[in-house]
Amino acid sequence: MEESFEKVEGVLEVISGYSGGTTENPSYKEVTYGKSGHFEVIKVKYDITKINYKKLLDIFWINVNPFDEMGQFCYKGYSYKFVAFYALDSEKILIDISIKKLEKKFNKNVVTYVRKFKKFYKAEDYHQNYYKENFINYLRYKN
């Protein structure tokens, strides 16, 4: 997801991390194999004069499979399920509208979680810019 957002005009920074669970300062192992309740996520910092939440949401939906109940692509399990987080009620409304459009367009139920944002924990350094630092592995994944 980093690559998809970093190339967008107006996006200032994309940080890999964890959110949505109860464990304080979780590790990758705790998120993936434990019961932290967290998901693997990205934090997108952006310039609101160049891009808005709705456009970021459009980019999000293009890069996920909102109909997969088990995870994403080759990664399966709770922490790999996609979540659309919102901080403001207006953002939740945009998410709900976009979900209804997707469901109508594809005649399927969207299973992506929608959650109120509470706290973000930055992932370990080796998770940051994975698509740049581990380019060959990343290409294999995308393929």
Side-chain angles (χ1 to χ4, degrees):
M1 295 296 285
E2 285 178 330
E3 177 189 26
S4 301
F5 284 93
E6 283 185 348
K7 63 185 176 183
V8 174
E9 183 178 350
V11 170
L12 306 172
E13 185 178 16
V14 181
I15 306 164
S16 292
Y18 316 115
S19 191
T22 56
T23 302
E24 294 283 325
N25 300 308
S27 68
Y28 175 74
K29 188 174 182 179
E30 288 173 313
V31 171
T32 305
Y33 302 110
K35 305 240 187 267
S36 71
H38 287 291
F39 301 93
E40 290 191 42
V41 300
I42 57 168
K43 180 178 185 176
V44 179
K45 294 182 180 182
Y46 60 99
D47 180 343
I48 60 171
T49 66
K50 295 183 179 177
I51 192 165
N52 60 35
Y53 187 83
K54 183 186 179 307
K55 179 64 178 163
L56 293 171
L57 194 55
D58 292 342
I59 295 164
F60 172 80
W61 292 124
I62 290 169
N63 287 282
V64 301
N65 178 354
F67 311 111
D68 188 343
E69 294 178 348
M70 302 305 293
Q72 284 299 306
F73 310 110
C74 64
Y75 292 109
K76 302 301 180 191
Y78 181 82
S79 68
Y80 295 114
K81 293 182 181 185
F82 271 100
V83 183
F85 285 102
Y86 64 93
L88 307 170
D89 290 340
S90 59
E91 293 171 345
K92 180 164 187 326
I93 290 167
L94 290 173
I95 294 169
D96 292 341
I97 290 169
S98 65
I99 286 174
K100 287 177 184 167
K101 285 181 183 177
L102 284 169
E103 289 179 336
K104 185 175 181 180
K105 180 178 180 178
F106 293 100
N107 197 29
K108 292 181 176 182
N109 290 330
V110 168
V111 296
T112 300
Y113 295 122
V114 177
R115 300 269 172 88
K116 176 105 175 146
F117 174 76
K118 293 180 183 172
K119 188 152 184 157
F120 174 82
Y121 298 96
K122 185 177 177 183
E124 297 83 352
D125 287 344
Y126 67 91
H127 284 290
Q128 306 306 321
N129 298 306
Y130 186 86
Y131 76 100
K132 292 177 185 174
E133 302 297 325
N134 299 280
F135 187 68
I136 300 300
N137 286 342
Y138 179 71
L139 287 179
R140 281 191 208 131
Y141 168 76
K142 279 184 73 169
N143 188 34

mmCIF file of all heavy atoms in Angstrom, residues 29-46:
data_model
loop_
_atom_site.group_PDB
_atom_site.id
_atom_site.type_symbol
_atom_site.label_atom_id
_atom_site.label_comp_id
_atom_site.label_asym_id
_atom_site.label_seq_id
_atom_site.Cartn_x
_atom_site.Cartn_y
_atom_site.Cartn_z
ATOM 1 N N LYS A 29 5.371 -9.674 15.148
ATOM 2 C CA LYS A 29 5.037 -11.030 15.577
ATOM 3 C C LYS A 29 3.747 -11.042 16.398
ATOM 4 O O LYS A 29 2.887 -11.902 16.213
ATOM 5 C CB LYS A 29 6.195 -11.632 16.378
ATOM 6 C CG LYS A 29 6.025 -13.094 16.695
ATOM 7 C CD LYS A 29 7.270 -13.664 17.351
ATOM 8 C CE LYS A 29 7.088 -15.141 17.616
ATOM 9 N NZ LYS A 29 8.266 -15.737 18.227
ATOM 10 N N GLU A 30 3.595 -10.081 17.288
ATOM 11 C CA GLU A 30 2.377 -10.012 18.102
ATOM 12 C C GLU A 30 1.150 -9.736 17.243
ATOM 13 O O GLU A 30 0.072 -10.273 17.489
ATOM 14 C CB GLU A 30 2.503 -8.914 19.165
ATOM 15 C CG GLU A 30 3.457 -9.247 20.284
ATOM 16 C CD GLU A 30 3.690 -8.074 21.211
ATOM 17 O OE1 GLU A 30 3.942 -6.952 20.726
ATOM 18 O OE2 GLU A 30 3.614 -8.293 22.437
ATOM 19 N N VAL A 31 1.312 -8.901 16.237
ATOM 20 C CA VAL A 31 0.182 -8.565 15.369
ATOM 21 C C VAL A 31 -0.185 -9.746 14.487
ATOM 22 O O VAL A 31 -1.347 -10.105 14.349
ATOM 23 C CB VAL A 31 0.504 -7.320 14.514
ATOM 24 C CG1 VAL A 31 -0.562 -7.082 13.445
ATOM 25 C CG2 VAL A 31 0.642 -6.096 15.411
ATOM 26 N N THR A 32 0.814 -10.373 13.896
ATOM 27 C CA THR A 32 0.565 -11.449 12.948
ATOM 28 C C THR A 32 0.189 -12.772 13.609
ATOM 29 O O THR A 32 -0.692 -13.473 13.132
ATOM 30 C CB THR A 32 1.800 -11.662 12.053
ATOM 31 O OG1 THR A 32 2.125 -10.420 11.444
ATOM 32 C CG2 THR A 32 1.529 -12.676 10.969
ATOM 33 N N TYR A 33 0.850 -13.099 14.703
ATOM 34 C CA TYR A 33 0.637 -14.412 15.317
ATOM 35 C C TYR A 33 -0.053 -14.350 16.670
ATOM 36 O O TYR A 33 -0.441 -15.381 17.210
ATOM 37 C CB TYR A 33 1.971 -15.136 15.484
ATOM 38 C CG TYR A 33 2.712 -15.311 14.187
ATOM 39 C CD1 TYR A 33 3.878 -14.601 13.935
ATOM 40 C CD2 TYR A 33 2.236 -16.165 13.199
ATOM 41 C CE1 TYR A 33 4.558 -14.735 12.739
ATOM 42 C CE2 TYR A 33 2.913 -16.305 11.998
ATOM 43 C CZ TYR A 33 4.076 -15.596 11.783
ATOM 44 O OH TYR A 33 4.735 -15.721 10.596
ATOM 45 N N GLY A 34 -0.196 -13.180 17.222
ATOM 46 C CA GLY A 34 -0.752 -13.052 18.558
ATOM 47 C C GLY A 34 -2.206 -12.662 18.553
ATOM 48 O O GLY A 34 -2.910 -12.783 17.553
ATOM 49 N N LYS A 35 -2.631 -12.193 19.665
ATOM 50 C CA LYS A 35 -4.023 -11.789 19.831
ATOM 51 C C LYS A 35 -4.099 -10.300 20.149
ATOM 52 O O LYS A 35 -4.845 -9.866 21.018
ATOM 53 C CB LYS A 35 -4.660 -12.612 20.944
ATOM 54 C CG LYS A 35 -4.546 -14.109 20.742
ATOM 55 C CD LYS A 35 -5.905 -14.724 20.674
ATOM 56 C CE LYS A 35 -5.799 -16.228 20.638
ATOM 57 N NZ LYS A 35 -5.778 -16.767 19.336
ATOM 58 N N SER A 36 -3.311 -9.504 19.442
ATOM 59 C CA SER A 36 -3.245 -8.061 19.700
ATOM 60 C C SER A 36 -4.506 -7.339 19.236
ATOM 61 O O SER A 36 -4.813 -6.251 19.706
ATOM 62 C CB SER A 36 -2.032 -7.450 19.004
ATOM 63 O OG SER A 36 -2.236 -7.429 17.602
ATOM 64 N N GLY A 37 -5.202 -7.930 18.263
ATOM 65 C CA GLY A 37 -6.375 -7.289 17.689
ATOM 66 C C GLY A 37 -6.042 -6.236 16.648
ATOM 67 O O GLY A 37 -6.929 -5.639 16.048
ATOM 68 N N HIS A 38 -4.752 -6.014 16.414
ATOM 69 C CA HIS A 38 -4.326 -4.996 15.448
ATOM 70 C C HIS A 38 -4.347 -5.538 14.024
ATOM 71 O O HIS A 38 -4.299 -6.739 13.788
ATOM 72 C CB HIS A 38 -2.900 -4.519 15.765
ATOM 73 C CG HIS A 38 -2.814 -3.644 16.962
ATOM 74 N ND1 HIS A 38 -3.332 -2.377 17.003
ATOM 75 C CD2 HIS A 38 -2.266 -3.866 18.179
ATOM 76 C CE1 HIS A 38 -3.103 -1.845 18.180
ATOM 77 N NE2 HIS A 38 -2.462 -2.731 18.926
ATOM 78 N N PHE A 39 -4.386 -4.599 13.106
ATOM 79 C CA PHE A 39 -4.266 -4.872 11.677
ATOM 80 C C PHE A 39 -2.983 -4.219 11.189
ATOM 81 O O PHE A 39 -2.525 -3.233 11.764
ATOM 82 C CB PHE A 39 -5.438 -4.246 10.904
ATOM 83 C CG PHE A 39 -6.773 -4.736 11.343
ATOM 84 C CD1 PHE A 39 -7.481 -4.049 12.312
ATOM 85 C CD2 PHE A 39 -7.328 -5.881 10.799
ATOM 86 C CE1 PHE A 39 -8.727 -4.486 12.732
ATOM 87 C CE2 PHE A 39 -8.571 -6.332 11.211
ATOM 88 C CZ PHE A 39 -9.275 -5.626 12.185
ATOM 89 N N GLU A 40 -2.429 -4.763 10.116
ATOM 90 C CA GLU A 40 -1.319 -4.090 9.457
ATOM 91 C C GLU A 40 -1.931 -2.961 8.634
ATOM 92 O O GLU A 40 -2.826 -3.188 7.827
ATOM 93 C CB GLU A 40 -0.554 -5.055 8.564
ATOM 94 C CG GLU A 40 0.226 -6.077 9.354
ATOM 95 C CD GLU A 40 1.187 -6.862 8.483
ATOM 96 O OE1 GLU A 40 1.846 -6.247 7.613
ATOM 97 O OE2 GLU A 40 1.263 -8.074 8.679
ATOM 98 N N VAL A 41 -1.441 -1.758 8.856
ATOM 99 C CA VAL A 41 -2.037 -0.580 8.232
ATOM 100 C C VAL A 41 -0.950 0.373 7.738
ATOM 101 O O VAL A 41 0.231 0.170 7.999
ATOM 102 C CB VAL A 41 -2.958 0.172 9.225
ATOM 103 C CG1 VAL A 41 -4.096 -0.718 9.701
ATOM 104 C CG2 VAL A 41 -2.162 0.705 10.407
ATOM 105 N N ILE A 42 -1.395 1.402 7.060
ATOM 106 C CA ILE A 42 -0.505 2.516 6.732
ATOM 107 C C ILE A 42 -1.137 3.797 7.260
ATOM 108 O O ILE A 42 -2.365 3.920 7.331
ATOM 109 C CB ILE A 42 -0.224 2.650 5.225
ATOM 110 C CG1 ILE A 42 -1.518 2.796 4.437
ATOM 111 C CG2 ILE A 42 0.641 1.524 4.732
ATOM 112 C CD1 ILE A 42 -1.331 3.209 2.996
ATOM 113 N N LYS A 43 -0.284 4.718 7.615
ATOM 114 C CA LYS A 43 -0.704 6.060 8.001
ATOM 115 C C LYS A 43 -0.316 6.975 6.850
ATOM 116 O O LYS A 43 0.842 6.980 6.427
ATOM 117 C CB LYS A 43 0.013 6.488 9.281
ATOM 118 C CG LYS A 43 -0.343 7.868 9.760
ATOM 119 C CD LYS A 43 0.396 8.155 11.069
ATOM 120 C CE LYS A 43 0.000 9.470 11.667
ATOM 121 N NZ LYS A 43 0.647 9.687 12.981
ATOM 122 N N VAL A 44 -1.283 7.701 6.330
ATOM 123 C CA VAL A 44 -1.047 8.575 5.191
ATOM 124 C C VAL A 44 -1.145 10.022 5.655
ATOM 125 O O VAL A 44 -2.193 10.471 6.117
ATOM 126 C CB VAL A 44 -2.072 8.316 4.064
ATOM 127 C CG1 VAL A 44 -1.832 9.256 2.890
ATOM 128 C CG2 VAL A 44 -2.030 6.862 3.626
ATOM 129 N N LYS A 45 -0.024 10.735 5.540
ATOM 130 C CA LYS A 45 -0.017 12.170 5.823
ATOM 131 C C LYS A 45 -0.139 12.877 4.481
ATOM 132 O O LYS A 45 0.584 12.542 3.537
ATOM 133 C CB LYS A 45 1.276 12.574 6.525
ATOM 134 C CG LYS A 45 1.414 11.973 7.919
ATOM 135 C CD LYS A 45 2.684 12.453 8.581
ATOM 136 C CE LYS A 45 2.840 11.860 9.977
ATOM 137 N NZ LYS A 45 4.053 12.368 10.648
ATOM 138 N N TYR A 46 -1.060 13.853 4.425
ATOM 139 C CA TYR A 46 -1.294 14.499 3.137
ATOM 140 C C TYR A 46 -1.606 15.981 3.295
ATOM 141 O O TYR A 46 -1.995 16.451 4.353
ATOM 142 C CB TYR A 46 -2.406 13.796 2.375
ATOM 143 C CG TYR A 46 -3.759 13.763 3.075
ATOM 144 C CD1 TYR A 46 -4.755 14.674 2.739
ATOM 145 C CD2 TYR A 46 -4.045 12.823 4.052
ATOM 146 C CE1 TYR A 46 -5.984 14.648 3.350
ATOM 147 C CE2 TYR A 46 -5.277 12.783 4.675
ATOM 148 C CZ TYR A 46 -6.254 13.702 4.323
ATOM 149 O OH TYR A 46 -7.482 13.667 4.944
#
